[in-house]
């Protein structure tokens, strides 16, 4: 072979163009292109990318072999029009970006089966979606869609379409001809189109949490429906045509304005298995509801039902019955429901339960909490199948000694009663896994608590217990509000017992709030699997460093104490998701807290914090942040945009003068509270926060509102009262059509110094007896 031929053979393949290979791409790009056999995965999740690398569409090996595209949690504004060059793509995940439109070429990829574009800024879907030959799942949840393509019913194999949390106001009747499950929940649909169709294919339809007032009278034409969710609407009644949906096995009409169920409901007696109608205004049930031959689940909780119809006991196959939150005074006939397994009678007006309860021979769960019961019928102890008994918040004074004699109870909840003693013979309750006797008057527990060898949760909060022996099997212990003897007083204190090896390796939840604790016991720092620790309303002044070395800790509540600082070891608490340090005396937050990067819920309100670390934006998973009632004069600006997941921000009652420029880029924010600060203006791009539902800016020094605020289409509450606004945007009335706006008490003369003087001197003096508004006084 000639030297020239050898050099050509050894020449590396190109990175781009014909014959290009992945191995020739730059190393930073290659590491985002892992393989599964011959298949290539494009993995750019959470990289801060603003666009897709052009190399993906010019490298032959990528184009020929890429099967999955993961580009979620970035800053993409668009998808390249030549994405169809990835000709073997099966899955495209584009969640959590700011994409406004999709190219029609995406749905021309013949192998594409699933597209997830949740949490973006889509306003429409391309008409080419009907050409998606293999598309089975399309998820466009939480975008800005106002409609669905009329041709979407022509997608040949589409099985699931999730378009929930959008701005769809209406849809075409062709939707009824889809063969897919359709989720249009949490949209703005006020009316369904008439079902003037020839062939129905739709089987599952979710229209929950819209603005529906009624269903079309020819809804029976959608005869293929088997599952219909209408929860959270404004429906006053169901048309009788609904009774002709002969395949309907589940219907949910909870949280509407129903005053009753249609009398024709019994026409569904051969098909309807699950009827959910909680949180309505139903006063009476259809007289022949007992004819529902296959009804297994009936949820009528939180209505206005006073009595049950005579036919009710004829529900022969009912398994789950929820009558909680009604006005029922008598349930004697309910004992004929022999198939019932889960019976909930909570929050009614019951003064007694039927003496023949033992006829419910299949009963597993009985919840009769929140009534006016004074005794637990002895016959309950004869229901051999009973495993969960909830009798909380009644007027019980004792627990029957016979309880558990013929059954193996797993849960016993009698919290919130007037019980003064607990049965001393625990052998009948030896299989208990959950025991809740909180909010009673119990001062002594049986000495042989260890006989409860399966007990996992013990809740004795709100009693008058000083000491007792802890079962070794406990994983959840709630002691709040008891006069527990502390280790300094009693060497056998419950807190000392926690040092036992069994507790150290099992305890996952511990609540020792309101026990006058003045220091954290070393035993608590030995609970290696502790996940939830509550020490609120105590006398703590500091926390031990070892506390934050509990590697499994996920939730910590130290609110309402006297803590002045947090140890730096908090950075080692990698799993901490929820942290409440409100109502303490903290003055500053160090960088250590910002390294607890799993935090989702952080409450630092009602402290004396005057500054935040510049690295605060490192808390990238925060959903809820409360910094209200502190001494903050500014928020860190550099990394605010990194808080992309934030849903709720409360910085009210501080001294913040400037609105951080990056905050409008927190697109997912739903609740924003900047009330009682020193803001003088809002940024012009304030309207970018398109997800905002509630905004409170009252009591600031704002002089005008930006026009972009009119673009906030899901805003329902806006408070800009007590500011200095002279004029409002010209189309403010349009915003008020879907938003409650408070603009009272505007004064162009208002200054913060004057406001402080008013507060210092007292409202009665400043306002001349309290009859005028602040602006009038100024």
């Amino acid at each position: 072979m000639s030297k020239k031929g050898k050099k050509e053979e050894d020449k590396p393949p190109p990175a781009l163009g014909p014959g290009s290979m992945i191995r020739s791409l730059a190393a930073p790009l290659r590491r985002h292109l892992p393989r599964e056999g011959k298949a290539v995965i494009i993995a750019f999740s959470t990289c801060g990318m603003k666009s897709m690398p052009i190399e993906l569409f010019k490298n032959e090996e990528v184009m020929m072999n890429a099967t999955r595209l993961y580009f979620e949690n970035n800053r993409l504004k668009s998808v390249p029009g030549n994405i169809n060059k990835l000709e073997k793509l099966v899955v495209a995940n584009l969640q959590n970006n700011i994409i406004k439109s999709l190219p029609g070429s995406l749905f021309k990829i013949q192998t594409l089966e699933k597209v997830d574009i949740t949490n973006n800024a889509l306003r429409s879907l391309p008409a080419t979606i009907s050409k998606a030959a293999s598309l089975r799942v399309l998820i466009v949840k939480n975008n800005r869609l106002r409609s669905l393509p009329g041709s979407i019913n022509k997608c040949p194999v589409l099985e699931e379409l999730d378009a929930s949390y959008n701005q769809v106001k209406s849809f075409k009747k062709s939707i009824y001809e889809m063969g897919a499950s359709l989720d249009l929940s949490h949209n703005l649909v006020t009316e369904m189109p008439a079902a003037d169709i020839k062939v129905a294919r739709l089987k599952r339809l979710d229209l929950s949490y819209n603005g529906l007032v009624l269903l079309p009278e020819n809804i029976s034409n959608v005869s293929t429906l088997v599952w219909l969710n209408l929860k959270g609407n404004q429906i006053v009644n169901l048309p009788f045509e609904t009774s002709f949906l002969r395949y309907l096995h589940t219907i949910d009409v909870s949280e509407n304005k129903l005053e009753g169920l249609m009398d024709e409901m019994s026409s569904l007696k051969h098909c309807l298995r699950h009827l959910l109608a909680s949180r309505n205004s139903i006063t009476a049930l259809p007289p022949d509801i007992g004819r529902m031959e296959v009804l297994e689940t009936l949820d009528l909780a939180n209505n206005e039902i006073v009595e049950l119809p005579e036919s009710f006991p004829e529900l022969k196959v009912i398994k789950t019955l929820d009558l909680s939150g009604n006005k029922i005074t008598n349930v004697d006939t309910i004992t004929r429901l022999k198939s019932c397994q889960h019976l909930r009678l909570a929050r009614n007006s019951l003064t007694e339960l039927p003496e023949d309860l033992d006829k419910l021979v299949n009963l597993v769960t009985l919840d009769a909490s929140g009534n006016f019961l004074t005794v637990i019928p002895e016959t309950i102890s004869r229901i051999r199948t009973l495993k969960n008994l909830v009798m909380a918040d009644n007027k019980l004074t004792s627990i029957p000694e016979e309880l558990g004699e013929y059954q193996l109870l797993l849960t016993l909840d009698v919290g919130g009663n007037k019980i003064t003693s607990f049965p001393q013979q625990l052998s009948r309750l030896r299989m208990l896994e959950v025991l809740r006797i909180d909010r009673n008057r119990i001062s002594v527990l049986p000495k042989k608590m260890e006989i409860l060898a399966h007990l996992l949760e013990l809740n004795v909060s709100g009693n008058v217990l000083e000491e007792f022996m802890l079962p070794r099997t406990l994983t959840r212990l709630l002691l709040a509000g008891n006069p527990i003897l502390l280790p300094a007083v009693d060497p056998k204190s419950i807190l000392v017992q926690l040092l036992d090896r069994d507790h150290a390796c099992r305890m996952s939840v511990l609540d020792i709030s309101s026990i006058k604790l003045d220091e954290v016991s070393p035993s608590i720092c030995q609970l290696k699997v502790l996940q939830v620790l509550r020490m609120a309303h105590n006398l703590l002044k500091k926390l031990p460093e070892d506390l934050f070395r509990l590697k499994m800790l996920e939730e910590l509540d130290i609110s309402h104490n006297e803590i002045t600082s947090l140890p730096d070891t908090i950075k080692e608490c990698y799993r901490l998701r929820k942290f409440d340090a409100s109502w303490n005396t903290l003055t500053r937050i160090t960088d250590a807290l910002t390294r607890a990067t799993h935090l989702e819920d952080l409450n630092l309100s009602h402290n004396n914090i005057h500054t935040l670390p510049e690295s605060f934006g490192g808390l990238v998973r925060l959903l809820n942040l409360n910094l209200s009632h502190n001494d903050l004069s500014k928020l860190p600006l550099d990394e605010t945009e990194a808080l992309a997941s934030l849903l709720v921000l409360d910085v009210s009652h501080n001294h913040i003068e400037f609105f951080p420029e990056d905050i409008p880029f927190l697109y997912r924010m739903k609740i924003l509270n900047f009330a009682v600060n020193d803001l003088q203006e809002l940024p012009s791009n304030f309207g970018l926060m398109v997800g905002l539902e509630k905004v409170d800016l009252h009591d600031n020094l704002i002089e005008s509102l930006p026009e972009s605020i009119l673009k906030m289409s899901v805003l329902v509450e806006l408070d800009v009262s007590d500011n200095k606004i002279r004029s409002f945007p010209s189309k403010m009335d349009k915003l008020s059509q879907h938003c409650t706006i408070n603009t009272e008490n505007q004064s162009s003369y208002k200054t913060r110094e004057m406001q402080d003087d008013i507060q210092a001197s007292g409202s009665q003096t400043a306002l001349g007896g309290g009859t005028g508004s602040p602006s009038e006084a100024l």
Side-chain angles (χ1 to χ4, degrees), residues 373-404:
L373 304 173
T374 55
V375 296
I376 299 176
E378 180 185 341
T379 49
I380 283 183
S381 63
R382 299 185 199 142
I383 305 175
R384 295 181 180 273
T385 55
L386 190 64
K387 296 188 181 303
N388 307 297
L389 178 60
V390 182
M391 303 288 285
D393 299 302
N394 277 284
K395 296 184 177 182
L396 305 175
T397 56
S398 62
I399 301 171
E401 293 284 346
E402 302 83 6
L403 196 63

Side-chain angles (χ1 to χ4, degrees), residues 606-622:
H606 294 88
N607 279 281
N608 302 317
I609 301 169
H610 54 80
T611 182
L612 296 175
E614 288 297 326
S615 59
F616 204 77
L619 298 174
V620 295
R621 301 192 184 187
L622 270 185

Side-chain angles (χ1 to χ4, degrees), residues 720-734:
V720 290
S721 61
D722 198 6
N723 274 281
K724 301 175 66 175
I725 304 173
R726 293 184 177 183
S727 61
F728 294 88
S730 57
K731 296 182 180 180
M732 200 74 169
D733 289 343
K734 186 176 181 181

Side-chain angles (χ1 to χ4, degrees), residues 90-193:
V90 177
V91 175
N93 189 338
L94 301 166
Q95 295 183 65
N96 302 326
N97 282 282
I98 48 177
I99 300 168
K100 294 184 178 181
S101 63
L102 290 175
S105 56
L106 174 65
F107 296 104
K108 293 180 181 179
I109 301 175
Q110 296 299 298
T111 55
L112 191 64
E113 294 183 7
K114 180 178 179 179
V115 176
D116 189 344
I117 194 164
T118 301
N119 292 333
N120 275 275
L122 285 182
R123 295 186 179 276
S124 63
L125 292 173
T128 54
I129 193 170
S130 60
K131 298 180 180 180
S134 302
L135 188 65
R136 297 182 181 276
V137 178
L138 176 60
I139 305 175
V140 289
K141 181 178 179 179
N142 200 13
N143 278 274
R144 304 180 201 172
L145 296 178
R146 296 185 177 180
S147 62
L148 298 177
S151 61
I152 200 165
N153 64 308
K154 297 179 181 179
C155 292
V157 295
L158 190 62
E159 297 174 355
E160 178 186 344
L161 172 58
D162 184 349
S164 59
Y165 292 91
N166 277 279
Q167 300 167 25
V168 177
K169 293 183 178 180
S170 62
F171 56 89
K172 297 183 179 180
K173 64 182 181 181
S174 59
I175 290 295
Y176 301 135
E177 299 173 343
M178 288 178 56
S181 296
L182 175 61
D183 187 346
L184 275 172
S185 62
H186 297 272
N187 274 279
L188 305 173
V189 179
T190 57
E191 185 177 1
M192 295 172 62

Side-chain angles (χ1 to χ4, degrees), residues 113-285:
E113 294 183 7
K114 180 178 179 179
V115 176
D116 189 344
I117 194 164
T118 301
N119 292 333
N120 275 275
L122 285 182
R123 295 186 179 276
S124 63
L125 292 173
T128 54
I129 193 170
S130 60
K131 298 180 180 180
S134 302
L135 188 65
R136 297 182 181 276
V137 178
L138 176 60
I139 305 175
V140 289
K141 181 178 179 179
N142 200 13
N143 278 274
R144 304 180 201 172
L145 296 178
R146 296 185 177 180
S147 62
L148 298 177
S151 61
I152 200 165
N153 64 308
K154 297 179 181 179
C155 292
V157 295
L158 190 62
E159 297 174 355
E160 178 186 344
L161 172 58
D162 184 349
S164 59
Y165 292 91
N166 277 279
Q167 300 167 25
V168 177
K169 293 183 178 180
S170 62
F171 56 89
K172 297 183 179 180
K173 64 182 181 181
S174 59
I175 290 295
Y176 301 135
E177 299 173 343
M178 288 178 56
S181 296
L182 175 61
D183 187 346
L184 275 172
S185 62
H186 297 272
N187 274 279
L188 305 173
V189 179
T190 57
E191 185 177 1
M192 295 172 62
D196 300 325
I197 52 174
K198 294 181 179 180
V199 180
R201 296 173 59 210
L202 190 64
K203 293 183 178 180
R204 296 173 65 90
L205 176 60
D206 189 342
L207 284 168
S208 58
Y209 298 102
N210 277 274
L212 286 175
V213 177
L214 47 83
L215 301 184
E217 291 186 355
N218 57 358
I219 186 68
S220 57
N221 287 347
V222 194
S223 57
T224 50
L225 276 177
V226 298
W227 189 89
L228 179 60
N229 189 350
L230 301 169
K231 183 177 182 179
N233 281 283
Q234 306 293 318
I235 299 172
V236 177
N237 57 63
L238 294 174
F240 77 92
E241 285 84 1
T242 310
S243 63
F244 299 142
L245 297 171
R246 60 185 182 276
Y247 298 112
L248 191 66
H249 69 63
T250 300
I251 184 170
D252 189 345
V253 289
S254 305
E255 298 180 35
N256 276 278
K257 295 184 177 180
L258 297 175
E259 295 181 357
L261 298 173
M262 56 184 180
D263 290 340
E264 297 83 4
M265 185 68 73
S266 60
S267 298
L268 301 172
K269 63 180 181 178
H270 297 302
C271 63
L272 196 62
R273 296 183 180 274
H274 308 285
L275 172 57
L276 312 175
S278 63
R279 298 186 183 279
N280 279 283
S281 301
I282 299 172
T283 56
L285 300 176

Side-chain angles (χ1 to χ4, degrees), residues 566-680:
L566 302 175
D568 283 347
T569 50
I570 193 171
K571 65 187 178 185
E572 299 178 28
C573 214
Y574 301 115
R575 294 176 181 262
L576 193 63
R577 293 185 300 101
K578 185 175 182 179
F579 183 36
D580 189 346
S582 61
W583 294 94
N584 277 280
T585 54
L586 298 172
T587 57
R588 60 189 295 268
I589 298 298
T590 65
D591 288 338
L593 177 62
T594 66
R595 293 172 65 180
T597 54
H598 280 73
L599 272 174
E600 296 178 359
D601 195 323
L602 177 59
N603 189 349
L604 297 171
S605 64
H606 294 88
N607 279 281
N608 302 317
I609 301 169
H610 54 80
T611 182
L612 296 175
E614 288 297 326
S615 59
F616 204 77
L619 298 174
V620 295
R621 301 192 184 187
L622 270 185
L623 300 176
N624 302 293
L625 175 59
N626 191 341
L627 295 167
S628 65
H629 294 86
N630 277 286
D631 294 324
L632 295 170
S633 59
K634 66 175 184 176
L635 295 179
L637 304 178
D638 294 345
E639 296 188 58
T640 304
E641 191 179 354
L643 300 174
S645 59
L646 203 61
L647 299 177
V648 179
L649 174 61
D650 188 347
V651 290
S652 61
H653 295 270
N654 279 283
H655 308 290
I656 299 171
E657 297 181 5
F658 301 103
F659 197 92
E661 294 181 1
D662 282 348
I663 284 188
F665 294 97
L666 303 182
Y667 304 110
R668 296 172 190 86
M669 187 92 70
K670 293 185 178 297
I671 299 176
L672 179 64
N673 191 344
F674 261 85
V676 196
N677 275 284
D678 299 334
L679 293 178
Q680 298 179 29

